[in-house]
Amino acid sequence: TRELVRIIRDYGSMKAMIVDEDIPDEECFRQLKEYQYPHDQVSRVSSKKVWYSRCPDPLYNVVAIDCGCKLNIIRKLNQNKCNVVVVPFDTSVEDILRYKPDGLFISNGPGDPEDVTCVIHDIQELKGRLPILGICLGHQMIGLAYNARTYKMKFGHRGANHPVKDITTGKIEITSQNHSYSIDKDSLEGTGLELTHINILDNEV
């Protein structure tokens, strides 16, 4: 395990296989070289139909675009007096607006944010018309919709206890994170977006 950790520390995340010892090294290397990362991961995990999560005495109606959403996020929206309409990732702007939302939520999910072009298009069409919140993949797609850039990190952020600094207040918050991509902070200039939080461990957005 420690040898693997040292390799990843020096070379970053990489393709890997766990195989039976009888498989020749040459065959393993061939399979690794030929393997292509999938570009349809969100479509595999998104809900296939619309569903609702309501709360008593709601103040707001939120549409959540499901890119692989964790159920606890929906629960937290309910706790904050939001009725939530959860829609598949490829829902059109017209269908989103039919629910008369007070806000739009873009969920977390797997893979490269640049692959999810239909959600990026929705954000571009709805920015300025609705308040928009994104977590993880959703946050990255909001950046892309405003012409910022994203990139694959050498290691990604994994696990709990990541210290994040609110640069507007200087306050440090402890977070759980699990993502491979980040917004390039040098690409924010001219987008109208403002950087407010950085990961203290590596200064990432």
Side-chain angles (χ1 to χ4, degrees), residues 21 65 134 183:
E21 64 180 351
I65 297 181
I183 292 176

Side-chain angles (χ1 to χ4, degrees), residues 125-204:
E125 290 292 312
L126 292 169
K127 64 184 182 180
R129 300 168 67 182
L130 289 175
I132 301 175
L133 164 69
I135 293 178
C136 195
L137 181 74
H139 158 259
Q140 295 153 14
M141 289 189 290
I142 291 172
L144 291 170
Y146 279 82
N147 296 318
R149 295 186 301 272
T150 57
Y151 63 94
K152 193 174 191 338
M153 304 164 73
K154 185 176 181 181
F155 303 110
H157 288 166
R158 310 291 173 199
N161 299 329
H162 279 260
V164 171
K165 181 177 182 179
D166 182 338
I167 60 177
T168 65
T169 66
K171 181 181 178 181
I172 306 298
E173 299 163 339
I174 300 302
T175 67
S176 296
Q177 300 190 21
N178 185 29
H179 61 103
S180 299
Y181 291 84
S182 180
I183 292 176
D184 179 359
K185 58 176 166 285
D186 293 333
S187 71
L188 295 176
E189 187 174 352
T191 62
L193 299 175
E194 178 184 350
L195 177 63
T196 61
H197 293 74
I198 57 170
N199 186 308
I200 291 179
L201 301 179
D202 54 13
N203 213 34
E204 298 282 359

Side-chain angles (χ1 to χ4, degrees), residues 23-131:
I23 299 178
D25 289 350
E26 295 77 14
E27 174 62 16
C28 296
F29 290 133
R30 183 192 66 77
Q31 291 185 34
L32 282 172
K33 186 175 181 180
E34 291 178 358
Y35 178 79
Q36 299 295 320
Y37 291 108
H39 294 281
D40 61 345
Q41 293 183 63
V42 166
S43 68
R44 299 184 191 190
V45 298
S46 177
S47 174
K48 303 300 186 239
K49 60 182 181 180
V50 175
W51 59 278
Y52 301 84
S53 185
R54 296 185 171 93
C55 64
D57 304 316
L59 296 177
Y60 305 105
N61 184 40
V62 172
V63 168
I65 297 181
D66 178 12
C67 299
C69 189
K70 297 175 183 176
L71 185 57
N72 194 50
I73 296 172
I74 305 300
R75 292 193 191 107
K76 291 295 183 184
L77 287 167
N78 287 158
Q79 287 174 16
N80 285 277
K81 299 295 185 180
C82 296
N83 273 344
V84 182
V85 183
V86 182
V87 300
F89 81 103
D90 55 356
T91 302
S92 69
V93 168
E94 293 75 21
D95 285 341
I96 289 170
L97 291 175
R98 285 194 184 100
Y99 296 105
K100 296 181 170 52
D102 298 299
L104 180 67
F105 170 69
I106 319 294
S107 86
N108 59 292
D112 187 338
E114 292 186 10
D115 291 339
V116 200
T117 54
C118 57
V119 176
I120 296 169
H121 173 265
D122 284 353
I123 298 167
Q124 289 171 331
E125 290 292 312
L126 292 169
K127 64 184 182 180
R129 300 168 67 182
L130 289 175

Side-chain angles (χ1 to χ4, degrees), residues 1-12 14 16 18:
T1 301
R2 293 186 179 191
E3 182 178 1
L4 288 174
V5 169
R6 285 194 293 269
I7 292 169
I8 294 169
R9 177 194 64 195
D10 292 339
Y11 297 102
M14 62 188 72
I18 298 176

